[in-house]
Structure formats: C-alpha cells, structure tokens
Amino acid sequence: MSPPSTTDKKQSGAARVLGSAAAGICEIGVFHPVDTISKRLMSNQTKITSASQLNTVIFKEHASKALGSRLFTLFPGLGYAAVYKIMQRVYKYGGQPFANEFLTKNFKDSYDALFGPKTGKALLSATAGSLIGIGEVVLLPLDVLKIKRQTNPEAFKGRGFLKIISDEGFGLYRGWGWTAARNAPGSFALFGGNSFAKEYIFGLKDYSSATWTQNFITSIFGASASLIVSAPLDVIKTRIQNRNFENPESGFTILKKMAKNEGITAFFKGLTPKLLTTGPKLVFSFALAQSLIPAFDKLMK
C-alpha cells in the first residue's frame, strides 16, 4: 500500500453521487442548446459555404423565424437530455474513483514498476476512466433518443417514450460498439490528461485536494485530449444514432461513404465548434464535479 502522503483521499459514495449529479444538472441547464448545435453540425453531410446555409443547418425548418423564436428551438429532447446527462455524470464522475481504487489496490505495484510512481498513478486513473467509459454504453438508449430529438425529430412520429421503448427494444443500442470504441480512448484521455496535469503541473499528491482553479486548468487538458482523440468515432456514432428508426445503417457503411464522398476531413467535422462549445461544457462539469465531491464529503461528516 502507498503511504498516506501519496494516496488520494477517499470520499463517500453519497458524496460522489451528489457531487456528480449537481455537476450534471448545472451542465444541462447551461449547455443543452450548445450541444444541439454541435450535434446538428456533426450530422450535416453538406459543405457549408454561407451564413444562410449555416443558419439552416442549425435551426432547420425554423431558420426563417425571429432570433428569439429560433433560440427556443435549440431545446429539443431536454427531458431525455436531463435524465441522460445526470445519469451519465453520476456514473462517469462518481464511478471512476471506485474503479480507480480497485485498480490501485490490485495493480498499483505493476504500474509503478512499469511506469514509475508518478506516471503509474496517472495511468491508473486513465485506465479506470477507460473502463468506466466502456461501461457507459448501458445508458445508450437515452443518448440515442436525445440525439434523435435534437437532429431528426421526425423519427418520433408522435410516439411517446414508452411507445418507442416498446417498439424499438434493443434497436436503441444500435451503434453500441462504436460508442464503446469512442468512449474507451476518450475517457482514457479525459481522466489521463487531467491526472497528468495534476501530477506534473501542480505536483499534487492527493488529487482530491486540488483547488477549483487547479481542477479547472487540469480539466482543460483532459477535455481537449478527450475530444481530439474521440472525434472520428464520435462523428460515426452520431450519424448512426440520428437515422430514422426504420432506416438503420452500419457504422462501417457510414465510414466507407464518408471516406469516399466527403474525404478524411469528414471524420473531424464539428471538431472546432466542439472544442469551442463541448470543450467548455466538459471542462465545466468535470471541474465542478471534482470540486463538489470533496465539498459534499466534508458537509456530510
């Protein structure tokens, strides 16, 4: 076992749930319209050459309405998004510490021997994040419904949530393999970049003792690395999920069509706005969760 000076302080399970849920609620309240814009840009398969065309891609059939009316159209699927985002953040931000503790208990000596204590500790955190990211596919149906509401609302055709669940069943897990393939490196980079920054920039022995400013700065490293690494698979995943329910298309088919018709740069469509929009959203929620979890832990003692 590591000496206390090099071991992260453990927070209670309740504190991890509350801190992560609070971060998810704040994130959805601030960033849902931004997420809608990002998803619609990633789903667009035409080259945008004018402001008018960009306006149509973002606001769809509402493009000609007044600005205020257009802005309200960026909140489709808010119910699905809220449930999904809160559950996702609780699972991801609250679950990664448990996975990290398990890996540290069982594999710390091996990681230390291979990479050294400092790098080994950061890589353990990254590996725990990757495992949690793969398991995130259990929440995929909510993500599918959220994306369809944002990018392809006609796919619902007047059906409610329970009717869609009944009709589609496991079809809502379409693209699960691509989602897992995206989440594994993406979550590895998120938690790894964050941990490496805490280790090598701030020299923190206990990552949970980081200040809000330190959490914010290290989250920028993690979020940027995660978005860049996962970008190509994220585009494929989004296109799989925004299809009509009755018109499924495999990820490999989409991949081949993209490479043939749109070129390699298509795999990074939406990356710049994603770094500028989803990046701050991820930084915001990740930094907030890392700060709130220790805060809730102190309040509950």
Side-chain angles (χ1 to χ4, degrees):
M1 293 294 292
S2 301
S5 60
T6 60
T7 302
D8 291 336
K9 184 177 180 294
K10 293 182 180 180
Q11 286 84 33
S12 67
R16 289 170 178 171
V17 169
L18 289 172
S20 301
I25 292 169
C26 292
E27 178 186 350
I28 201 69
V30 174
F31 289 102
H32 185 68
V34 171
D35 184 53
T36 298
I37 292 172
S38 178
K39 289 293 186 296
R40 289 177 179 175
L41 287 171
M42 283 193 290
S43 299
N44 173 55
Q45 299 182 35
T46 60
K47 193 170 184 178
I48 298 174
T49 58
S50 66
S52 174
Q53 192 175 359
L54 177 64
N55 181 53
T56 302
V57 169
I58 293 175
F59 295 105
K60 295 183 172 290
E61 68 274 16
H62 306 288
S64 61
K65 292 184 178 180
L67 179 61
S69 299
R70 274 182 286 161
L71 292 177
F72 278 109
T73 68
L74 296 177
F75 286 90
L78 184 59
Y80 297 120
V83 174
Y84 169 70
K85 187 58 64 179
I86 293 168
M87 291 180 68
Q88 181 199 41
R89 293 320 189 198
V90 168
Y91 169 78
K92 194 166 192 171
Y93 297 157
Q96 189 271 351
F98 288 106
N100 192 29
E101 287 163 8
F102 173 81
L103 292 176
T104 299
K105 181 179 179 180
N106 292 280
F107 300 103
K108 183 181 186 304
D109 292 341
S110 299
Y111 272 69
D112 287 354
L114 285 170
F115 307 107
K118 292 176 70 174
T119 301
K121 181 180 179 182
L123 285 175
L124 276 168
S125 179
T127 304
S130 185
L131 293 174
I132 287 293
I134 293 171
E136 199 176 323
V137 295
V138 299
L139 301 175
L140 191 58
L142 288 171
D143 190 27
V144 171
L145 294 175
K146 175 182 76 76
I147 289 175
K148 286 191 191 300
R149 288 291 294 176
Q150 289 174 307
T151 63
N152 189 14
E154 60 270 19
F156 284 73
K157 295 179 180 175
R159 293 183 295 173
F161 176 74
L162 295 178
K163 178 63 174 172
I164 290 174
I165 295 293
S166 173
D167 289 348
E168 305 304 330
F170 285 104
L172 292 172
Y173 279 95
R174 189 177 297 125
W176 70 268
W178 292 94
T179 301
R182 179 205 67 162
N183 287 355
S187 294
F188 184 96
L190 174 66
F191 288 97
N194 177 71
S195 296
F196 272 98
K198 285 183 175 177
E199 191 72 55
Y200 287 98
I201 295 178
F202 295 110
L204 296 173
K205 300 300 182 184
D206 176 6
Y207 294 171
S208 66
S209 67
T211 64
W212 160 254
T213 300
Q214 289 172 332
N215 280 329
F216 183 78
I217 292 172
T218 58
S219 294
I220 292 174
F221 282 88
S224 299
S226 177
L227 293 174
I228 293 169
V229 165
S230 63
L233 289 165
D234 197 32
V235 174
I236 295 172
K237 164 187 166 288
T238 297
R239 293 194 180 187
I240 290 171
Q241 292 177 326
N242 69 13
R243 298 281 175 180
N244 283 329
F245 289 109
E246 67 275 8
N247 183 32
E249 194 170 24
S250 73
F252 285 107
T253 301
I254 291 173
L255 188 155
K256 286 187 290 185
K257 284 185 177 180
M258 286 174 63
K260 179 181 178 180
N261 301 327
E262 301 173 61
I264 296 299
T265 56
F267 294 99
F268 292 92
K269 273 191 173 182
L271 178 58
T272 299
K274 200 170 184 184
L275 285 169
L276 296 174
T277 57
T278 305
K281 177 181 70 171
L282 187 54
V283 169
F284 173 81
S285 66
F286 194 24
L288 196 59
Q290 291 179 88
S291 299
L292 288 177
I293 289 172
F296 274 112
D297 192 59
K298 287 181 182 178
L299 284 173
M300 297 173 71
K301 286 184 177 177

